Amino acid sequence: MSYELDRILISEEDIQKRVRELAKEVLASIQSERLLVVAILKGSLYFLADLTRLLPPTCEIDFIQVSSYHGGKSSSGVVQIRKDLDQSIEGRDVLIVEDIVDSGITLQYLRKFLKTRKPKSVAVVSLLSKRQAKNIVLPLEFVGFEIPDEFVVGYGLDYGELYRGLPYIATLREV
Ligand code: IMP
Ligand code: MG
């Protein structure tokens, strides 16, 4: 089976507008002198770059990489840490930056995993979520867009490492 781009689901302009709003929401609710932003590689890369440019210059950034997809279109259900954080999060206010919440398995695992390291607080901002479409009950502090239960690419999100560089979010269709 192979895929090609189908239609634009969220335009570049709408993404940029929503990211500005999300930054304001984060700033209004997390009053931290030294916020530690934990970005989940690789899908959050553009979201991280745009969001953190709107946060105070004192916030720090670290990266974690997990895998649960193994290149396919649905989660394998098993989460593995492929790259751990470089620094301790003990006593820190942590903001996890995620590209998309689908089944929620990755995020649930990560929250538990990070909480064992005794951060002061953990909040999550995800650009996209399929929670409503899938009727998944899952805590999520900040969400950019609730989207339909469709596989999407662009603005960091990939299908088999392709399409990450698109400035918008698009769906795929089988060809
Ligand atoms: P979950 O564990 O099922 O919530 O999946 C979360 C991870 O799967 C995200 O961090 C993405 O990397 C990937 N993912 C889930 N849905 C999509 C999609 O529609 N497009 C691209 N990647 C996705
Ligand atoms: Mg991915």
Side-chain angles (χ1 to χ4, degrees), residues 8 22 29 37 41 57 61 92 95 110 137 163 171 175:
I8 296 179
L22 282 172
S29 87
V37 175
L41 291 170
I61 301 172
R92 301 293 302 268
L95 177 69
L110 217 57
V137 181
Y163 308 114
T171 57
V175 284

Side-chain angles (χ1 to χ4, degrees), residues 69-160:
Y69 268 55
H70 312 295
K73 280 173 75 186
S74 66
S75 174
S76 67
V78 181
V79 184
Q80 286 173 314
I81 302 288
R82 294 174 67 182
K83 186 227 165 279
D84 204 341
L85 297 170
D86 290 335
Q87 58 178 291
S88 164
I89 60 168
E90 195 173 337
R92 301 293 302 268
D93 292 304
V94 172
L95 177 69
I96 300 176
V97 178
E98 173 64 307
D99 53 355
I100 185 165
V101 176
D102 182 5
S103 68
I105 290 171
T106 306
L107 212 56
Q108 252 176 327
Y109 176 86
L110 217 57
R111 261 196 216 262
K112 260 195 207 154
F113 177 76
L114 294 180
K115 278 198 175 146
T116 63
R117 296 181 175 175
K118 302 188 173 52
K120 188 170 160 205
S121 69
V122 176
V124 179
V125 58
S126 183
L127 181 70
L128 308 172
S129 158
K130 298 180 192 171
R131 277 182 319 172
Q132 279 176 12
K134 293 187 136 180
N135 278 321
I136 292 170
V137 181
L138 178 102
L140 206 49
E141 286 77 8
F142 311 98
V143 185
F145 302 90
E146 284 289 343
I147 63 165
D149 188 12
E150 277 186 81
F151 198 82
V152 293
V153 294
Y155 196 63
L157 289 97
D158 73 307
Y159 174 60

Side-chain angles (χ1 to χ4, degrees), residues 3-9 150-151 153 163 166 168-175:
Y3 294 87
E4 64 179 24
L5 286 176
D6 186 15
R7 61 178 208 285
I8 296 179
L9 190 67
E150 277 186 81
F151 198 82
V153 294
Y163 308 114
L166 296 173
Y168 47 78
I169 302 285
T171 57
L172 294 179
R173 74 165 159 250
E174 260 176 56
V175 284

Side-chain angles (χ1 to χ4, degrees), residues 49-64:
D50 288 339
L51 184 73
T52 50
R53 277 181 285 184
L54 300 166
L55 297 180
T58 49
C59 83
E60 293 171 39
I61 301 172
D62 202 348
F63 295 97
I64 194 164

